[in-house]
């Protein structure tokens, strides 16, 4: 039975449920603290100077009413410490998950390569894959952490924010939601274009690294037969292919960097336009508009991360597919997960193509 991406990820999640749950909770609460900390400053101005602000009104809408300086400073200090703990916890759990997935993948890969059928082992894909080893491992790490786990926490935070926005103004909330959805679809299309160029870039880089390794190992032969110039010409062709494919990739990758900014400020422009539209059914008051802009600014980092998810998934899925092509090559008897005693019972030795001559 061949291993699939879904099976591998399901096995990984089943073995690491506690730490994944901890990463989700800490990520969600950390994002919440990132919003509450600057919002609480509005309460300080309200308590200390008697000045009302949109931040203070927004805090009141979520049930946080700080009526004295002592309560403000206790709340602010507690939130600051909690933010530090949650940030550390989120970072530690996410990086631990990344290291666990690569540890699991490395073990699977080495085990599979040792047990591959002898003819399969000598196919080109084995040597070619080794030159992509580190880059594919990094892409798989980001696929799991930033492409699957972190977006769940960000998505929960986004749902919480929109539930608050819909209580303030339905018209502005619907417009904002439509812009966010349209931006997400646009980023998915861009990531689809990026996938092919990224695969081409990685293949060309792998080919170049493999060529360099082979030629440097054969340096004595190259010098003996005076083949430096022909080898440099071959290198130049591969180097040019890598250069052109990298340029194409970076042009599309630039869109991934630029589009989130455009989408975000387009959303702000639409909110401002709707707030002063004469024909709108619901006029947005200056206070509610300010709250909308504040929440949107706080959502900026979360939404930008979510917009880059399709690109991370595209890159990671290509790396996992390459890994699967190696893991599922024809192999001999593989004893995955068996202990030493079971292995000794089931171990068999096959002798093929053996001859003797005297």
């Amino acid at each position: 039975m061949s291993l699939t991406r879904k099976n591998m990820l399901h096995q990984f999640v089943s073995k690491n449920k506690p730490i994944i749950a901890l990463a989700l909770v800490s990520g969600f609460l950390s994002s919440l603290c990132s919003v509450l900390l600057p919002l609480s400053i509005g309460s300080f101005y309200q308590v200390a100077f008697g000045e009302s602000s949109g931040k203070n009104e927004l805090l009141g809408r979520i049930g946080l009413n700080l009526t004295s300086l002592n309560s403000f400073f206790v709340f602010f200090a507690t939130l600051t410490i909690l933010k530090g703990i949650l940030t550390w916890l989120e970072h530690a759990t996410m990086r631990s998950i990344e290291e666990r997935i690569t540890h699991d993948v490395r073990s699977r890969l080495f085990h599979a390569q040792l047990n591959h059928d002898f003819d399969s082992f000598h196919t080109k894909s084995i040597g070619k894959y080794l030159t992509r080893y580190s880059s594919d491992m990094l892409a798989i790490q980001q696929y799991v952490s930033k492409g699957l786990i972190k977006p769940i926490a960000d998505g929960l935070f986004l749902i919480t924010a929109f539930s608050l926005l819909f209580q303030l103004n339905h018209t502005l909330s619907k417009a904002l939601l439509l812009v966010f959805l349209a931006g997400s679809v646009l980023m998915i299309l861009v990531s689809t274009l990026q996938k092919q160029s990224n695969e081409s870039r990685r293949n060309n880089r792998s080919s170049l690294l493999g060529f360099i390794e082979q030629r440097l190992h054969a340096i004595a032969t190259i010098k003996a037969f005076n083949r430096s110039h022909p080898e440099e010409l071959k290198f130049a062709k591969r180097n040019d292919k890598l250069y052109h494919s990298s340029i194409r990739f970076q042009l599309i990758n630039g869109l991934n960097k630029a589009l989130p900014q455009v989408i975000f400020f387009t959303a702000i422009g639409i909110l401002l336009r709707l707030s002063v539209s004469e024909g709108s059914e619901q006029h947005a008051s200056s206070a509610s508009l300010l709250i909308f802009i504040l929440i949107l600014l706080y959502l900026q980092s979360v939404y930008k991360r979510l917009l880059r998810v399709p690109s991370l998934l595209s890159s990671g899925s290509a790396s996992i597919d390459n890994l699967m092509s190696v893991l599922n090559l024809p192999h001999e008897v593989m004893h995955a997960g068996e202990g030493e005693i079971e292995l000794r019972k089931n171990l068999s030795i096959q002798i093929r193509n053996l001859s003797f001559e005297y």
Side-chain angles (χ1 to χ4, degrees), residues 31 48 93 104 113 134 165 225 233 246 261 267 270 283 306 318 358:
S31 297
T93 51
D104 185 47
Q113 288 176 321
S134 59
L165 289 176
F225 289 94
L233 291 178
S246 296
Q261 299 281 350
I270 291 174
H283 270 296
L306 287 173
Y358 177 74

Side-chain angles (χ1 to χ4, degrees), residues 105-115 133 327:
V105 167
R106 286 195 298 263
S107 299
R108 286 177 181 272
L109 183 61
F110 189 67
H111 175 77
Q113 288 176 321
L114 286 181
N115 288 274
Y133 200 87
L327 292 178

